[in-house]
Amino acid sequence: MRAARLSDRLRVEEIDSPVPGPDEVLVEVHAVGVNQLERAVMNGARLGAPALLPRTVGIDPAGVIVAQGAAVAGDHVGERVAIKPNVPCGDCGFCADGAEADCRRQQVVGVHRDGGAAEYVAVPARVAIPIPGQVPFTVAAAAVHSVPIALHMIRRAGGIRPGDTVLVTGATGALGCAALQVAAGLGGKVLAGALEDEPVDGLPGLGAAAVLTYGRDDADGLAEQVRGHAPDGVAIAIDATGSGPLISAGVRSLAWAGHAVFAAALPGARLDLDPRELYTRRLTLHGSAAADYADVRDGLALVADGTVTPPVAAEFPLAEVVDAYAMAGRRDHVGKVVLHVR
Ligand SMILES: [Zn+2]
């Protein structure tokens, strides 16, 4: 089969199709997202356990189950599925509690085991989540990583009450778009933040009540801009950039007892926070990563019922995987780059 492999560089190679293990399913891949996570691996940034190369990339494939291991209960051949990228261990206390996002022994498809930028991928059956309704494979692949993570961030921050104002910084990226759409879909009034040279024209159509822009090295004015729209501050500040100044500005933008949540940190990022503000104003800062199974099921349900429609910035054939990753690394588009495998 053809697979996009990362070794000294990224290229499409001909390799043997994987054989599913006893607890695994074999998925015929139709589409797979192009993610910053793998770019970080390619650039040598550490992400927990280091990735061993060569590796087939592709963390979030969607396709059809064509075979299953002997220990998989039921008959799943023919099911349309999207793959939860993080594979929880399944037997720690967090997993037992349904808090799989916090499992310390999770592995990532396409990082710690071969991924789905290939004609076939074998994954543990428990991370092959049925695609609800008529959601196309391309949309399912665009959604299955970012939408559940955005939903998990919002839930970790205590959820949204109708009318709550929510700040999303980094709103043009795949995670930012998902956070914007999920927060708006749950009844929040969303202030969408983006760099001043990013394409923001489409953000109101995704549900943004207002668009706030800032310079690359200038997050200082953001909190003041927020107060122009929300004089008491925002209930939740969601950062999708990993920028220390933007995360800090989000905390400074919070209303009384507000929650700030972030799911990435750029190398060298530092926070500039006044601890007096945190305790006197009852503020909470959450670090968030991955998602629970419930977030994946509920996130895909939000896509199936039309609450969230992940924007697909571009689709590339597998043969053009290098161009696809190059585009995903730029900030000149809104939403997700997807590889169309078949
Ligand atoms: Zn676990």
Side-chain angles (χ1 to χ4, degrees), residues 87-96 99-100 102-106:
V87 182
C89 79
D91 52 30
C92 71
F94 294 109
C95 285
E100 297 89 3
D102 294 342
C103 172
R104 294 186 70 171
R105 286 186 286 153
Q106 52 193 304

Side-chain angles (χ1 to χ4, degrees), residues 25-26 64-69 72-81:
V25 292
L26 184 67
V64 177
I65 294 177
V66 292
Q68 64 182 60
V72 176
D75 178 9
H76 299 282
V77 172
E79 270 182 14
R80 302 169 75 245
V81 293

Side-chain angles (χ1 to χ4, degrees), residues 44-341:
R46 289 185 62 101
L47 287 157
L52 297 176
L53 300 179
R55 175 69 73 218
T56 301
V57 299
I59 72 171
D60 47 9
V64 177
I65 294 177
V66 292
Q68 64 182 60
V72 176
D75 178 9
H76 299 282
V77 172
E79 270 182 14
R80 302 169 75 245
V81 293
I83 306 307
K84 178 187 185 309
N86 291 72
V87 182
C89 79
D91 52 30
C92 71
F94 294 109
C95 285
D97 288 345
E100 297 89 3
D102 294 342
C103 172
R104 294 186 70 171
R105 286 186 286 153
Q106 52 193 304
Q107 295 196 321
V108 181
V109 174
V111 176
H112 304 113
R113 53 183 294 142
D114 278 341
E119 291 176 283
Y120 296 92
V121 61
V123 293
R126 62 187 186 277
V127 297
I129 311 297
I131 299 172
Q134 302 302 313
V135 176
F137 291 117
T138 302
V139 176
V144 72
H145 182 47
S146 55
V147 173
I149 285 182
L151 185 57
H152 187 78
M153 292 173 83
I154 289 168
R155 287 172 165 172
R156 201 171 267 261
I160 292 173
R161 285 156 297 278
D164 275 353
T165 304
V166 178
L167 171 66
V168 176
T169 44
T172 62
L175 177 58
C177 281
L180 160 56
Q181 291 193 306
V182 173
L186 297 177
K189 173 191 170 189
V190 182
L191 310 178
L195 284 167
E196 56 199 3
D197 57 356
E198 289 177 337
V200 298
D201 290 352
L203 297 181
L206 299 179
V211 176
L212 315 180
T213 58
Y214 35 78
R216 201 162 290 278
D217 298 309
D218 171 32
D220 290 347
L222 180 59
E224 283 86 319
Q225 283 191 67
V226 168
R227 290 191 198 282
H229 296 273
D232 296 330
V234 299
I236 300 178
I238 300 171
D239 178 72
T241 70
S243 151
L246 285 175
I247 297 168
S248 303
V251 173
R252 286 197 291 276
S253 302
L254 291 175
W256 178 270
H259 294 256
V261 55
F262 67 104
L266 298 172
R270 290 289 179 271
L271 300 182
D272 178 15
L273 300 176
D274 177 354
R276 260 179 67 88
E277 280 277 292
L278 283 180
Y279 91 91
T280 59
R281 303 186 56 237
R282 316 317 194 250
L283 308 181
T284 310
L285 176 61
H286 304 264
S288 183
D292 301 335
Y293 285 117
D295 301 316
V296 181
R297 286 191 296 270
D298 296 347
L300 290 176
L302 289 174
V303 176
D305 74 13
T307 302
V308 173
T309 306
V312 175
E315 287 185 59
F316 289 82
L318 183 61
E320 294 174 18
V321 64
V322 172
D323 293 336
Y325 275 85
M327 179 173 176
R330 298 194 301 266
R331 305 291 298 180
D332 58 355
H333 57 276
V334 173
K336 189 104 172 182
V337 177
V338 175
L339 283 173
H340 197 81
V341 178

